[in-house]
Amino acid sequence: NAGVTQTPKFQVLKTGQSMTLQCAQDMNHEYMSWYRQDPGMGLRLIHYSVGAGITDQGEVPNGYNVSRSTTEDFPLRLLSAAPSQTSVYFCASSSYEGNEQFFGPGTRLTVL
Amino acid sequence: AQKITQTQPGMFVQEKEAVTLDCTYDTSDQSYGLFWYKQPSSGEMIFLIYQGSYDEQNATEGRYSLNFQKARKSANLVISASQLGDSAMYFCAMRGYNFNKFYFGSGTKLNVKP
């Protein structure tokens, strides 16, 4: 049981490049979310999903796309990277019945 | 709108003493949940404790307890008998009626002194 996994752990991009951050969970959780954490701040919700085929925007969705074709996977796409997207990105999952949200280890992204 | 406020950017506590980390929240939802997470310097998010808005008793998990005062909209974390390994960032979070939307405070950095 791996829990929530994220790849890559570190990434450096140039302005304007695109990339996909991968997230997978093996707990059969309905809910999955993407957050970003900027220095000295808490986590802010980017996008979330309540099940396969269903996604919605969080607090800071601009510049990011998501899709959820399976229960297990929830990739986050940066369409055209900007320096303002330099951050640590966390993926999380939770079940409808549970109270705990399980977090992945995070991806540290730098945009030059 | 949901909002979480943590007014203590940093705190110091002596080893073996108790410490209280403050958290206030704002929501119009009748049903909600309150959470505390620990983030050590290694960066992972570690779940500590949960309190439901309808729970009549304060939640406890080992050395962690949540002082829930619903009328004052506060959910303070109490750590008893602090240990050096408790040095970390601590985040208060809330989940409202939408189960998948969590809102986080800005965090409190706790330093435990030997």
Side-chain angles (χ1 to χ4, degrees), chain B residues 39-101:
Chain B
Q39 187 177 44
S41 58
S42 51
E44 71 267 32
M45 296 291 288
I46 302 169
F47 167 75
L48 295 178
I49 196 166
Y50 165 82
Q51 177 86 41
S53 58
Y54 291 115
D55 295 340
E56 294 186 351
Q57 291 194 332
N58 287 341
T60 60
E61 289 287 347
R63 294 187 298 111
Y64 304 107
S65 60
L66 199 153
N67 185 359
F68 180 46
Q69 298 187 43
K70 195 170 183 177
R72 297 180 60 185
K73 291 190 174 180
S74 74
N76 298 338
L77 177 70
V78 180
I79 305 175
S80 63
S82 298
Q83 302 172 355
L84 295 178
D86 293 335
S87 293
M89 283 289 289
Y90 288 81
F91 291 99
C92 181
M94 178 175 65
R95 179 187 68 195
Y97 181 77
N98 184 328
F99 278 88
N100 205 47
K101 284 187 127 176

Side-chain angles (χ1 to χ4, degrees), chain A residues 31-33 35 37 40-43 45 48-50 57 59 90 94 96 98-101 103, chain B residues 35 37 39 42-47 50 89 91 95 98-107:
Chain A
Y31 301 144
M32 296 187 74
S33 304
Y35 297 87
Q37 183 179 26
M41 296 182 66
L43 279 67
L45 183 64
Y48 67 96
S49 168
V50 300
Q57 296 180 350
E59 294 177 79
F90 286 97
S94 58
Y96 178 79
N99 294 320
E100 182 178 351
Q101 188 167 211
F103 284 86
Chain B
F35 303 76
Y37 286 85
Q39 187 177 44
S42 51
E44 71 267 32
M45 296 291 288
I46 302 169
F47 167 75
Y50 165 82
M89 283 289 289
F91 291 99
R95 179 187 68 195
N98 184 328
F99 278 88
N100 205 47
K101 284 187 127 176
F102 280 69
Y103 298 87
F104 284 80
S106 55

Side-chain angles (χ1 to χ4, degrees), chain B residues 6-11 21-22 88-91 106-110:
Chain B
Q6 294 180 253
T7 58
Q8 305 155 311
M11 288 193 68
L21 307 184
D22 294 341
M89 283 289 289
Y90 288 81
F91 291 99
S106 55
T108 295
K109 185 171 176 60
L110 177 67

Side-chain angles (χ1 to χ4, degrees), chain A residues 75-87:
Chain A
L76 178 73
R77 296 182 193 85
L78 279 70
L79 308 173
S80 177
S84 61
Q85 293 179 304
T86 293
S87 190

